[in-house]
Each structure stands twice: as structure tokens, then as C-alpha cells.
Amino acid sequence: MDYGGNERLIRCLHRNAKRKIQGKTGADLDVQLQPWASAHDKFVTAIAGETTPDVAEIGTTWTPEFADLGALVDLTEKVGDTKDNLVTGLIDAGTLDGKLYGMPWYAGIRSFIYNKDLFQKAGIQNPPQSWDELLAAIKKLKTLDGVMITSPMPLAVPSSIPTRGQSCLLDTTS
């Protein structure tokens, strides 16, 4: 997938993964980034042509479709009790008809960051709990002089960066 992040960091992480996999298994890892917008269609085409990758990241909503097409392997026995240490919702997203087809490798937590003083000035007592409440809060904030409403922007860093990617952050090779 195309993560839209730091390309140098992503290349470094892939280079390190290739080295480790080659060293442990002798296999040659071919990492191919795909734009998310077209990835689903590319997978469907690959499934139809029987040219699927050995391992791929797919959207959790694609699991039922791809499992029904016979394109995914049941991992239930291979994973065993390991799944007991994972977030239930993530395991559920990769499970269809009691069979585990997808292993979670990361999860994001969404946060709402706001200026409490501006919310109070606009008469908003609590942070929004729904999209409707968010839209109502924006309307109130727009009435304040000098307040600029910005677009919501997710701030995310892959969970692997602090522990596994430190050497890549310092890597000067491309």
C-alpha cells in the first residue's frame, strides 16, 4: 500500500525486512507499494488472473469478499493461541465464518484535539461525540471573531517506527 509517508523511511524499512527474510528463509522479498485508491481493483484483477502476491496488506472490509473468492488462506491453526494476545476487534475484522484470514499488523487510534478556551467562548461545554455535534460546534466557532476553522487532519505514525524503525530514521541511504 502507499502509506503517503516518508518515502526514505519506508524504503529503509523494506530494505531491512528484505535482508532479514533473505537471511532467515533464503526467499527474495519483492515489496510493491500500491496506491490505496486502486489497490482493491488491482487485487481483484490479480485474483482473477491467479497472480496474487504471497503476502499482502488488504483493507479489513475486503476480507469477506476475497475469502469468498478463495483467495485467502485460513490462518486459524497457524495462529493458534497467539490471537488471544491481540485486540478482539482486529481479529474479528480478519475472521469470516469462524476462520481467521487476516492478521492485524497495526491499528490506529483517532483523537479529537481542540482548543478548550475557544470552545468555552463559543458556548460549547463538551467535545463533540458525533459528526452532527462536530458540525454544530463548527457553526458556533465560525461566529467568533478571528477564529479560523481548519480541516480535520489525522496525525499518525506507524507503530513500528519508535522500536523497529529507529535505524531507518537515521539512515542516509535511499
Side-chain angles (χ1 to χ4, degrees), residues 23-106:
K24 282 188 171 194
T25 68
D28 186 29
L29 180 66
D30 178 17
V31 177
Q32 297 181 14
L33 299 180
Q34 303 299 321
W36 187 254
S38 59
H40 176 271
D41 292 345
K42 190 162 185 171
F43 279 123
V44 170
T45 301
I47 292 166
E50 298 182 1
T51 58
T52 56
D54 295 324
V55 177
E57 176 199 357
I58 64 170
T60 54
T61 58
W62 306 348
T63 301
E65 175 187 3
F66 294 172
D68 283 343
L69 292 171
L72 303 179
V73 174
D74 178 5
L75 302 172
T76 309
E77 287 185 28
K78 291 185 186 297
V79 172
D81 293 338
T82 301
K83 70 178 183 179
D84 296 338
N85 297 321
L86 301 171
V87 177
T88 304
L90 298 177
I91 289 294
D92 291 347
T95 301
L96 180 69
D97 297 330
K99 296 178 182 177
L100 180 66
Y101 291 102
M103 280 294 290
W105 72 277
Y106 82 95

Side-chain angles (χ1 to χ4, degrees), residues 2-174:
D2 176 3
Y3 302 104
N6 180 327
E7 287 188 38
R8 193 177 92 211
L9 173 63
I10 291 169
R11 282 194 305 269
C12 178
L13 291 170
H14 290 164
R15 212 173 31 254
N16 288 345
K18 286 174 100 163
R19 264 188 244 130
K20 286 182 181 181
I21 288 173
Q22 179 95 46
K24 282 188 171 194
T25 68
D28 186 29
L29 180 66
D30 178 17
V31 177
Q32 297 181 14
L33 299 180
Q34 303 299 321
W36 187 254
S38 59
H40 176 271
D41 292 345
K42 190 162 185 171
F43 279 123
V44 170
T45 301
I47 292 166
E50 298 182 1
T51 58
T52 56
D54 295 324
V55 177
E57 176 199 357
I58 64 170
T60 54
T61 58
W62 306 348
T63 301
E65 175 187 3
F66 294 172
D68 283 343
L69 292 171
L72 303 179
V73 174
D74 178 5
L75 302 172
T76 309
E77 287 185 28
K78 291 185 186 297
V79 172
D81 293 338
T82 301
K83 70 178 183 179
D84 296 338
N85 297 321
L86 301 171
V87 177
T88 304
L90 298 177
I91 289 294
D92 291 347
T95 301
L96 180 69
D97 297 330
K99 296 178 182 177
L100 180 66
Y101 291 102
M103 280 294 290
W105 72 277
Y106 82 95
I109 297 174
R110 306 303 188 263
S111 299
F112 182 71
I113 301 169
Y114 67 102
N115 184 319
K116 286 183 180 183
D117 294 336
L118 287 178
F119 268 55
Q120 287 178 346
K121 190 174 178 182
I124 306 165
Q125 301 303 315
N126 297 305
Q129 300 298 309
S130 67
W131 283 112
D132 288 339
E133 288 181 19
L134 177 61
L135 293 174
I138 290 170
K139 287 178 184 177
K140 287 183 180 180
L141 289 166
K142 282 184 174 183
T143 66
L144 299 177
D145 287 333
V147 174
M148 178 176 63
I149 306 297
T150 61
S151 299
M153 180 159 87
L155 301 172
V157 176
S159 60
S160 60
I161 288 176
T163 56
R164 294 185 202 121
Q166 287 175 338
S167 63
C168 291
L169 293 173
L170 303 173
D171 189 356
T172 56
T173 61
S174 51

